[in-house]
Amino acid sequence: MAAAHRAPAHLDARGRGFWRAVTTDYELRPDELRVLEDACRELDLIERLDAEQRDTALTVPGSHGQPVAAPLLGELRAHRALLARLLNQLRLPD
């Protein structure tokens, strides 16, 4: 078990919790800590986007009045894909 590094101050609850869980269980190099920080920031951002999307419609009128996916859905998808890439980059064991 590794000694946990202090979580960066700008992280919200979700990011801080993930930071603590990872740094308590794994010894990370400085470059890996940077990737972990980015992943934690993405977790926090996804949490905020998801909370905002829950209060809005899933579709909005398109340029011709047709229903199209709400813009936040695309943002959520992009940030979740980025989070997956960051976590893959850490190569933490299952």
Side-chain angles (χ1 to χ4, degrees):
M1 182 176 285
H5 291 268
R6 186 180 185 99
H10 62 273
L11 295 178
D12 293 332
R14 181 85 185 251
R16 277 193 317 272
F18 189 70
W19 176 277
R20 271 193 304 277
V22 172
T23 60
T24 298
D25 290 343
Y26 302 102
E27 187 66 39
L28 301 178
R29 299 182 316 258
D31 60 311
E32 292 170 325
L33 287 171
R34 179 59 213 185
V35 173
L36 175 60
E37 181 178 347
D38 289 343
C40 291
R41 291 175 71 173
E42 283 298 313
L43 278 168
D44 287 340
L45 180 56
I46 289 166
E47 183 97 357
R48 290 173 57 203
L49 289 169
D50 191 47
E52 189 168 325
Q53 180 59 51
R54 269 186 252 130
D55 296 333
T56 62
L58 294 176
T59 60
V60 297
S63 61
H64 298 287
Q66 79 282 18
V68 296
L72 281 180
L73 293 176
E75 288 298 312
L76 275 165
R77 181 177 42 248
H79 285 284
R80 286 176 174 146
L82 175 55
L83 176 61
R85 287 192 306 272
L86 290 167
L87 294 176
N88 188 50
Q89 197 174 341
L90 284 175
R91 293 192 172 107
L92 298 174
D94 289 339

